[in-house]
Amino acid sequence: MRYDPTVVEAKWQARWEADRLYDAPDGDPRPKFYLLTMYPYPSGDLHVGHWYPMAPSDAVARYKRRRGYNVMFPIGFDAFGLPAENAAIERGIHPYRWTMDNIARMRRQLRSMGAMWDWSREVVTCDPEYYTWNQWFFLRMYDRGLAYRTLSPVDWCPKDNTTLAREQVVGDGRVCERCGTPVVKKNLEQWFLKITAYADELLDFSTIEWPERVRTLQTNWIGRSEGVEFAIPVKDRSEISFRVFTTRPDTVYGMTFCVLAPEHPLVDVLTSPDRRKDVEAYKFKAARESDIERLSTERERDGVFIGSYATNSMSGDAAPIFIADYVLLTYGTGAIQGVPAHDTRDFDFARKYRLPCPVVVAPPGWDGRPLREAYLEDGTMVNSGPFNGLSSDEGRRRIADDMVARGVGQRKIHYRLHDWLISRQRYWGTPIPIIYCDACGTVPVPYDDLPVVLPMDAEFRPTGQSPLKYHKAFLNVPCPKCGGAARRETDTMDTFIDSSWYQYRYLSHHYAEGPFDRTKAAYWLPVDQYTGGVEHAVMHLLYTRFWTKVMRDIGLVDFGEPMMRLFNQGTILGTDGIKMSKSKGNVVNPDEVVQKYGADVLRMYLMFIGPWNEGGPWNTRGIEGSSRFLSRVWTLVTEPAKPGDVQAPDVLRPRDLEYWTHHTIRRVTEDMEGFRFNTAIAALMEFANVLQRAKATPIAGSPMWGHALQSLVLLLAPLCPHVAEELWVEHLRQPYSVHVQPWPVFDPQKAAAEKITLVLQVNGRVRDRVEVEAGITEAQAREIALANARVRQYLDGKTVADVIIVPGRLVNVVLR
RNA sequence: GCGGGCGUAGCCGAACUGGUAUAGGCGCCAGACUUAGGAUCUGGUCGGCGCAAGCCGGUGGGGGUUCGAGUCCCUCCGCCCGCACCA
């Protein structure tokens, strides 16, 4: 009888579901293991790229359960977002309808995977039951001053008609992450969350095991730099000064000019009448130029003198003030000291405008001549008045102290990280619970009035304005304070808010007294293992850390990191080696694969392709291999052995079979622990091949044979749950379910080979291989090597200088 | 430009802390069973020379350390991913 996946898979999925086999009971006496995989966005149809993170995660969940953990493996849907609204505008389908239809389809597709998700905990973020807590969190942050509104230049996507978070602007061309349209700047009143208040804490990864890669990305993204911010007075205008930030206070004596960002507020004040025309022209040019051109490193730095001078606050020398677009208003103070000798950009600028370039930090062995390029390293301070002779390091401290003492500056830390802009001028998201009253100003919606429900009867028109702006019943509300006429905030929240805390909602998804039931938190939290793509390194994965720290500070949880371990899987590519996407036409539909081969074959194939963290191209032929393997296992277990039919040349002894069984248990166990599914499967293939060859020999009837087959099925179960269950229950006649059986254990003695291949080398070159007892001593190994005929051929007339013995592996005879 | 990762058969990949390079799979070749097979099973499969035993070469190129290097160090080349004038 051949294996028929459609019948078998449907049968067991129904049985597992009926038995609620995968429910994770709260407060179970077993140790808990919270395994979380990133919830999907319900874009419509799944492709195998969606299975790629899920199938191995499920294998981990199943493995951990078999190791005695009470495993929670929840799933849900990231249901708010732009595509739903675009579908509404383009095709006249309500975003809710579109989203829910997609979710229904994806649920069916996900269920066909046969994963052990606890569907009873499912979370859908567009449900008011969920997003009311987004609003609640927002108000709690507002109360603590962590949510604020300000007029701010924001990145704006002209196609999607919406603002974008800094992180959603990507690539060389600074384009919209979603649609690829070049982003422009626009000034709007926007809501922000003060993630920068946690910048330092977010740099600390000491309590979590996250990949180096993600830690580096987040660290660079936060971009902490330590230095001094100090005032530079304007010459002959003693009432005016501007502030600059530097990480190199040891170089201040070398300042020969200053640069303000073209948009700096003091530019108009400090521009002299004779320079006004040039300055205005430059400002116009800078404003018109796209960010791509402005930020290009290739481009020559230029600027314009504005007709005023600054006074070097240490040396008292006069320094011309320029505007130049290489200085950004958004970083530091929007103004810098120009120190050409010790900064590459300043060096180029000074050369172009023939400004002096005095050396103030001497390189070791400096001959006193002008520098050919900026010297960026530390050195000995020169031309720096009373600070001459100090090391850069010492100088930085002393000059900072001096500035602080004189009240002109203070030590300061700047971050590249900006506060999190959460306002979206869109309908399909969580309404921001704020009311604007002419009399009372900005008034938060009272907690008792939550949720602010997104009205379902909004009109969708391609105006670029949020439909909420036209919705009278939503827009016009009495002020909660004075009762007078007021208007609701019509912006909705960034959907990254939803995903910042969804892991907590899984604990108690209908809980109405708070975002989650705290009596369950002590048992389940935090997440033990998170799996998902590295593309979320600086967005979701930073936001959820921030969110958890805020939750800790408002007393909701007693820890500061949401996920203890993180694993980033790679990306599955199309057969053409390009990332799968509908537009490229290289997507593989899992439904078709499941129909043809079964879910188990697809799962096995995805895990067998290669290391999980590397991803790789889909290979239509490769899946045949997985299919063949499972068929072989099927016939191996289901068709009765006919021992003695064939005269096999090398008959396995019981001890050999025992070795293979225990050796395989060991390999698979170690590989599962390390998420190395490809090699775990390779080990199982080898084992199955050994059993296949031994099946026609007398050993196939022995008690060891039964143990071997059972072990094979027990080890396969996390990887191909349906086949394993069918074989376990129906053919090996073992008690249901294989998925609650303890993980097989190996005996290290039995897992060790009796005989080993000893490699004999002469001067590092392999000359012979001999089978020896595994336990031989070094002296015996040496003796065997020196007595070996092939080795002796090379000894002729030479002296043995050394014999290197690697126990259990090789002997290397070194000749002189 | 800076930072990180990677480069092993025809292809995907294995090789623990330096110790048999190429496990497992795909593909290919041969054989068995068959009316037939793109089904299944068995065997082979890095290259060169050789009837063979065997010898030599071989992990992107070059150099080094070592008894021994895919693995460590230097250097160059190629590919991928971040960040991109961050003061």
Side-chain angles (χ1 to χ4, degrees), chain A residues 604 625-633 681 684-685 688 716:
Chain A
M604 291 292 270
S626 296
S627 181
R628 272 203 284 268
F629 170 59
L630 283 188
S631 299
R632 281 158 65 101
V633 171
I681 293 169
L684 287 162
M685 285 174 167
L716 279 166

Side-chain angles (χ1 to χ4, degrees), chain A residues 228-232 241-247 255 257-267 270 310 321-324 326-338 346 414:
Chain A
V228 172
E229 193 180 297
F230 63 98
I232 296 188
S241 69
F242 57 90
R243 300 184 74 76
V244 298
F245 175 70
T246 181
T247 55
M255 180 184 97
F257 63 99
C258 287
V259 184
L260 304 181
E263 309 87 349
H264 195 285
L266 275 183
V267 173
L270 297 180
I321 302 172
F322 287 76
I323 56 171
Y326 80 88
V327 173
L328 310 172
L329 190 66
T330 49
Y331 187 80
T333 59
I336 61 155
Q337 57 163 352
D346 297 347
H414 274 281

Side-chain angles (χ1 to χ4, degrees), chain A residues 61-112:
Chain A
R62 290 174 179 279
Y63 168 74
K64 281 290 178 183
R65 190 163 190 246
R66 302 267 302 281
R67 295 302 302 252
Y69 290 93
N70 181 26
V71 175
M72 172 157 69
F73 185 48
I75 185 84
F77 295 94
D78 185 15
F80 272 137
L82 215 42
E85 197 162 342
N86 288 340
I89 294 165
E90 286 158 24
R91 286 182 268 156
I93 312 164
H94 193 281
Y96 179 81
R97 195 53 291 131
W98 185 87
T99 303
M100 287 319 216
D101 287 353
N102 285 348
I103 287 176
R105 192 156 57 247
M106 283 180 75
R107 270 196 203 109
R108 184 189 56 71
Q109 290 183 302
L110 287 170
R111 279 172 187 274
S112 76

Side-chain angles (χ1 to χ4, degrees), chain A residues 151-280:
Chain A
L151 186 70
S152 169
V154 294
D155 291 314
W156 174 266
C157 173
K159 179 159 181 288
D160 293 337
N161 278 308
T162 189
T163 49
L164 298 167
R166 222 177 121 91
E167 300 85 302
Q168 289 168 319
V169 180
V170 296
D172 287 350
R174 291 182 50 79
V175 297
C176 170
E177 177 197 50
R178 287 182 216 281
C179 66
T181 309
V183 160
V184 297
K185 293 279 184 198
K186 192 165 174 172
N187 270 325
L188 288 173
E189 287 277 3
Q190 306 285 326
W191 284 97
F192 289 84
L193 298 184
K194 219 180 222 169
I195 190 170
T196 54
Y198 290 86
D200 273 328
E201 216 191 320
L202 288 166
L203 288 166
D204 178 11
F205 298 91
S206 61
T207 59
I208 49 177
E209 287 176 62
W210 281 27
E212 168 84 38
R213 172 119 187 264
V214 173
R215 299 201 314 254
T216 307
L217 283 169
Q218 293 201 350
T219 303
N220 293 342
W221 188 260
I222 294 166
R224 182 183 200 272
S225 51
E226 226 169 295
V228 172
E229 193 180 297
F230 63 98
I232 296 188
V234 176
K235 190 171 171 251
D236 305 327
R237 308 272 297 266
S238 56
E239 78 286 2
I240 305 176
S241 69
F242 57 90
R243 300 184 74 76
V244 298
F245 175 70
T246 181
T247 55
R248 293 292 304 273
D250 54 322
T251 65
V252 289
Y253 279 86
M255 180 184 97
T256 55
F257 63 99
C258 287
V259 184
L260 304 181
E263 309 87 349
H264 195 285
L266 275 183
V267 173
D268 285 342
V269 181
L270 297 180
T271 301
S272 63
D274 60 314
R275 300 297 303 148
R276 188 155 304 273
K277 206 175 142 201
D278 285 356
V279 167
E280 288 305 324

Side-chain angles (χ1 to χ4, degrees), chain A residues 10 238 279 318 345 385 491 657:
Chain A
S238 56
V279 167
R345 295 150 300 171
D491 284 354
L657 187 56

